[in-house]
Amino acid sequence: MEAADVSNQALLTLVTAVSAGTFLMAVAQRVGIPAIVLLLGGGILLGPEVFNIIQPASLGPVLMPLVSLAVGLILFEAGMTLDFAGYKTASKVIQRLLTIGTLITWVGTTAAIYYIIGTQIETALLSASLVIVTGPTVILPLLKRIKVIPRVHHILQWEGVLIDPVGVFVAILCFEFLTSGSGMAAATDFGLRVVVGVGVGLFGGFVTYYILKKRWAPEHLVGVATLGCAAFTFGLSEMLIGEAGLLSAVIAGFVPAILKPIDLKRVKDFKAEVADLLIAVLFMVLASRLELVQFLEFGWRGWLVVAVVMVVVRPVNILVCTAGQGLPWREKAFLSWLAPRGIVAASMASLFRIMLEDNPMFKDPAFVETFTYSVIITTIVIEGLLANRVAILLGLKRPEATGWLIVGAHDFSRRLATFLMKSGLPVVVIDSNMRAVKALTSRSNIQAYQRDARDPAIFEDEKIMGLGNVIALTDNEDLNLVICNRLSEVTGRDNVYAWVSGASGNPLESENANIVWSNLPKPSMLSAEIRQYESRFFQLDGNAELPFDSLVLGAVSENKVEIYPENPDTLPGEGATQMVVVRSSNHLKRGLSMGLAIDVSGNNLSSALNSALDLVLLKYPNLPKEQLITEITAREREFPTVLGHGVAVPHVFTRHISNRICCIIRSPDGITFGNGDSSEQVHLMFLVISPSGDPVGHLAMMAEIANLISHVEMRARLLGAEDAAEITQVIGEEQ
């Protein structure tokens, strides 16, 4: 084949591996199955065994360093996932699985391979080390799909996450030891590899840590800089001594995982995406190298060893690790059943085979790969497909998630949570602000936790696992919709609700959520009204007469909750309790706050506003005076707020206050509003300043003003009052 043809085929191989691999990864995530299933099938179909589109041989000498570097970067990401805090707080069962369990799996599998198949001990040890890892990329999607009870879910989840770097570390050390040969020279070679691997890994890890801690890299390049450090660490170790790079990569990942620099989460998210891309490409290429004859030649003895790993080694592991921990036999049986292996084990098996093909010490390097893939395929197909039925048979399925998750810790959510708890269903409040969470829990017995509601993984938390409905009640309407969109992946779209203000300009219908309570102000504003006794909540029988001008938020009965976006047309009936909110009137009286009245001279609107705002600033110093004057005067030029009879109501919203303000301005000379023939002299102005997100209260105050000044006697009394105190007294008497 000519050089051009080889180059074109290599390009076709890489392009196909990237495009098909990423597509299959996305499909697997969408349908909720382990990605390795589709990647394995896709690699074989597109490889030389079937369609011959992906041809690993076309990559020539590049294949080995490409695979090595990709595996090294994947292991670096795996090292960063190590959670020592999780290990310390994990139950004894998980701790034993990571220690005693690792040894039982390794020794038990080694013995089965050595005595049943009769292979050399080096091959048995290396092959067994590769199946220690249960594979988080496989177990986590399965757990999301089958939904077992929290304790079993918790054990399998943490085992899958934490044993990944542990198993990788054991496998690499085993490989380093076995490929060092025998005798004193071999021992020296092994020791040198470990020293170089650990030393360079620590160096690279600390460089990565300081890049993150000192923010040496620009914010948008932090992930890329970390990736460069990982590649440099791997390459430096390999150049110093062959085959030490994998150990360095794992160690380099451990360092930031332990020290936890500020930007670690962002880097981990970026590295996870890179790792997914590398896994997709790598696995397509490696799977295409598999030959069906490998598995035919594996023989019945090989499949017997796979069966022993599944039905003997794993159950023994579980029985030892759960001894004395009070787990019922049903839970032990399910833990014994489910231990699928994943992508990391497969990638390392293929890499080890490539590296061992020229090593005279290993007589059958292909066995390492064949055995590992056989365990992976068998555990995924048999255990994965039957996991749901086994969980049902053992009675370990989690009850249907019917509880309620409220996003946003404030007084409104406290009232709502208390109401929802009357249904007997679990209710949890979450907020990213720890102070808000502590304030809520200090005043009630409601369960509240600091969590990021944008992450669907929160439903893997044992405290949140039983919740199937979400109400997003943050002040940020767009954030509420984002939260509902993401969490609907777990709960379903019909079970997510978002507050969106009817005056915000956002649509009151959304594909992502059910929009509720749009005629209420921002939750923080409503919470302020609750504290100031401006808004009152009632719990009424379903057939009780509702207070005037009330809003029904929902109804509860035993194990049932109904949320009403707006007042329902029909009553829920006997046995139900309704939650009703009534927002108080007298907005104008409260907005005046005693003394916010001023007389001005001249007919200049800006000057009058300036004098009035100077008075307001004495009580509300954070108000941006110049900005408010500019906004009000600009609006009055376009749309004057003159109500007639010499009265105008200039108004504005601002985010710098949490309650409505009204300042009365009297001008004996009259202030000119409008232009030309349409101009009018205004002698009495009500300057209304409302907090952003409270259109209902704002309009209520405007309506009260309009009603007040519609009476001739009231206008005369306000214009004839001696001072500010008499003005507020007159309004107080009227209201």
Side-chain angles (χ1 to χ4, degrees):
M1 185 181 294
E2 296 182 1
D5 294 334
V6 173
S7 177
N8 289 336
Q9 182 56 54
L11 178 61
L12 178 62
T13 293
L14 291 175
V15 169
T16 305
V18 171
S19 56
T22 52
F23 172 75
L24 293 175
M25 287 275 281
V27 170
Q29 184 171 0
R30 175 63 62 181
V31 300
I33 63 174
I36 191 173
V37 175
L38 297 184
L39 292 175
L40 180 61
I44 294 175
L45 286 175
L46 295 175
E49 288 288 292
V50 185
F51 293 113
N52 200 30
I53 299 175
I54 297 178
Q55 297 181 14
S58 66
L59 299 177
V62 177
L63 177 63
M64 176 65 180
L66 180 66
V67 172
S68 297
L69 178 59
V71 172
L73 295 177
I74 292 170
L75 296 183
F76 176 80
E77 193 271 337
M80 292 184 71
T81 64
L82 192 66
D83 187 352
F84 284 95
Y87 177 82
K88 292 175 183 177
T89 59
S91 68
K92 282 191 176 181
V93 174
I94 302 171
Q95 294 176 357
R96 289 179 180 178
L97 285 170
L98 299 178
T99 51
I100 301 172
T102 297
L103 187 61
I104 291 174
T105 302
W106 192 14
V107 173
T109 305
T110 298
I113 295 173
Y114 183 73
Y115 288 107
I116 295 176
I117 297 179
T119 186
Q120 62 183 146
I121 188 64
E122 291 85 357
T123 301
L125 282 167
L126 186 59
S127 301
S129 70
L130 290 169
V131 296
I132 292 173
V133 181
T134 57
T137 55
V138 178
I139 193 69
L140 296 184
L142 279 174
L143 290 175
K144 288 182 181 179
R145 180 167 58 86
I146 60 180
K147 292 181 171 60
V148 292
I149 61 174
R151 179 162 57 182
V152 174
H153 177 102
H154 184 66
I155 292 173
L156 289 171
Q157 178 191 28
W158 278 102
E159 181 194 15
V161 171
L162 296 182
I163 207 171
D164 192 12
V166 173
V168 165
F169 190 73
V170 171
I172 292 173
L173 281 181
C174 181
F175 177 82
E176 300 288 355
F177 177 75
L178 295 176
T179 56
S180 297
S182 58
M184 183 60 66
T188 303
D189 188 32
F190 171 71
L192 189 58
R193 284 185 185 178
V194 172
V195 170
V196 171
V198 173
V200 174
L202 289 173
F203 170 75
F206 277 103
V207 170
T208 303
Y209 168 72
Y210 279 105
I211 287 177
L212 299 177
K213 180 182 179 181
K214 303 294 185 181
R215 299 184 181 273
W216 288 341
E219 185 174 342
H220 66 286
L221 292 178
V222 167
V224 175
T226 305
L227 181 66
C229 285
F232 173 77
T233 302
F234 174 84
L236 177 61
S237 186
E238 284 288 321
M239 286 188 290
L240 292 176
I241 183 169
E243 300 170 3
L246 297 180
L247 180 58
S248 292
V250 177
I251 297 295
F254 284 170
V255 175
I258 296 170
L259 299 178
K260 299 186 183 304
I262 296 175
D263 287 328
L264 182 61
K265 185 180 185 302
R266 181 185 304 167
V267 171
K268 288 171 72 172
D269 292 341
F270 173 79
K271 288 289 294 176
E273 293 180 359
V274 173
D276 285 342
L277 174 63
L278 292 173
I279 286 170
V281 176
L282 184 63
F283 210 77
M284 293 295 290
V285 173
L286 295 179
S288 69
R289 297 180 68 257
L290 296 176
E291 300 175 359
L292 296 179
V293 68
Q294 288 180 239
F295 301 97
L296 295 176
E297 294 176 350
F298 195 45
W300 67 270
R301 293 180 184 273
W303 293 108
L304 177 60
V305 172
V306 174
V308 169
V309 171
M310 294 173 60
V311 301
V312 177
V313 176
R314 176 65 176 182
V316 170
N317 183 3
I318 294 299
L319 288 175
V320 172
C321 293
T322 59
Q325 297 304 304
L327 268 68
W329 71 267
R330 290 183 176 84
E331 296 182 19
K332 293 180 181 180
F334 189 79
L335 293 172
S336 299
W337 172 257
L338 195 61
R341 274 61 173 186
I343 288 175
V344 173
S347 301
M348 293 184 63
S350 294
L351 178 60
F352 286 173
R353 178 191 174 177
I354 295 172
M355 298 171 73
L356 293 174
E357 284 179 343
D358 297 327
N359 191 319
M361 288 184 55
F362 284 80
K363 299 177 182 178
D364 188 13
F367 177 84
V368 175
E369 182 182 58
T370 305
F371 169 73
T372 306
Y373 275 88
S374 298
V375 173
I376 292 170
I377 295 170
T378 307
T379 54
I380 288 177
V381 172
I382 298 179
E383 295 178 357
L385 292 179
L386 296 179
N388 192 56
R389 295 185 180 181
V390 172
I392 295 173
L393 182 65
L394 294 174
L396 298 178
K397 290 283 288 184
R398 197 185 314 156
E400 183 181 356
T402 53
W404 289 81
L405 178 67
I406 302 175
V407 182
H410 39 67
D411 285 281
F412 178 31
S413 64
R414 177 167 62 90
R415 296 296 182 94
L416 180 61
T418 303
F419 170 70
L420 294 177
M421 289 166 63
K422 292 178 66 68
S423 66
L425 300 174
V427 178
V428 172
V429 177
I430 63 172
D431 198 303
S432 59
N433 187 327
M434 176 55 79
R435 286 175 31 178
V437 170
K438 289 182 177 179
L440 181 66
T441 54
S442 66
R443 298 197 302 270
S444 67
N445 61 350
I446 298 167
Q447 295 185 70
Y449 307 101
Q450 183 186 25
R451 297 289 187 277
D452 185 351
R454 295 169 297 180
D455 185 5
I458 61 174
F459 283 98
E460 297 172 9
D461 189 321
E462 189 171 346
K463 303 179 184 69
I464 301 175
M465 198 173 285
L467 310 179
N469 304 278
V470 177
I471 302 181
L473 293 178
T474 76
D475 281 358
N476 188 325
E477 303 158 43
D478 294 328
L479 176 60
N480 290 338
L481 294 174
V482 169
I483 289 170
C484 287
N485 182 36
R486 294 185 180 177
L487 299 190
S488 65
E489 298 174 9
V490 180
T491 64
R493 189 267 181 196
D494 292 339
N495 298 321
V496 292
Y497 303 84
W499 170 82
V500 173
S501 172
S504 66
N506 281 330
L508 296 184
E509 292 185 2
S510 172
E511 296 180 357
N512 304 328
N514 299 293
I515 305 301
V516 293
W517 311 326
S518 297
N519 48 354
L520 288 179
K522 286 183 177 182
S524 62
M525 265 303 307
L526 191 59
S527 298
E529 290 183 6
I530 292 171
R531 293 190 298 271
Q532 297 164 12
Y533 303 101
E534 294 183 14
S535 289
R536 295 167 293 161
F537 285 79
F538 302 93
Q539 295 185 14
L540 304 176
D541 291 337
N543 55 1
E545 184 177 352
L546 298 176
F548 175 74
D549 202 23
S550 61
L551 174 67
V552 183
L553 302 184
V556 300
S557 54
E558 187 175 357
N559 294 326
K560 184 179 180 181
V561 174
E562 290 185 78
I563 298 296
Y564 301 140
E566 53 188 25
N567 278 340
D569 297 327
T570 59
L571 297 175
E574 295 184 5
T577 302
Q578 297 184 91
M579 184 177 188
V580 179
V581 59
V582 178
R583 300 184 70 199
S584 300
S585 56
N586 299 335
H587 298 282
L588 176 57
K589 181 179 178 180
R590 287 191 299 272
L592 283 169
S593 301
M594 187 60 70
L596 288 181
I598 188 171
D599 291 326
V600 298
S601 59
N603 60 0
N604 184 276
L605 176 60
S606 296
S607 176
L609 292 174
N610 186 73
S611 299
L613 285 172
D614 282 339
L615 177 64
V616 174
L617 285 169
L618 296 176
K619 294 190 177 184
Y620 304 93
N622 293 327
L623 282 172
K625 184 176 76 169
E626 298 301 329
Q627 178 184 338
L628 296 181
I629 292 174
T630 300
E631 290 185 22
I632 294 171
T633 52
R635 181 183 293 113
E636 294 301 330
R637 282 195 297 268
E638 296 292 330
F639 306 103
T641 58
V642 179
L643 299 181
H645 307 292
V647 180
V649 190
H651 54 91
V652 69
F653 286 97
T654 178
R655 62 182 178 82
H656 294 87
I657 56 174
S658 59
N659 56 287
R660 292 172 297 278
I661 303 170
C662 181
C663 181
I664 297 179
I665 307 169
R666 295 190 305 182
S667 173
D669 299 328
I671 298 173
T672 304
F673 276 67
N675 299 302
D677 295 336
S678 62
S679 64
E680 184 170 347
Q681 294 297 109
V682 170
H683 297 277
L684 187 63
M685 285 196 303
F686 291 80
L687 172 60
V688 177
I689 308 173
S690 294
S692 301
D694 185 25
V696 176
H698 183 80
L699 292 175
M701 181 181 286
M702 300 275 285
E704 289 181 11
I705 294 171
N707 180 64
L708 186 75
I709 59 94
S710 65
H711 304 287
V712 176
E713 298 83 358
M714 180 55 62
R715 295 198 301 272
R717 290 183 66 187
L718 291 175
L719 289 171
E722 290 291 335
D723 53 25
E726 186 176 344
I727 290 175
T728 53
Q729 181 182 352
V730 169
I731 292 176
E733 292 173 356
E734 177 66 18
Q735 290 208 315

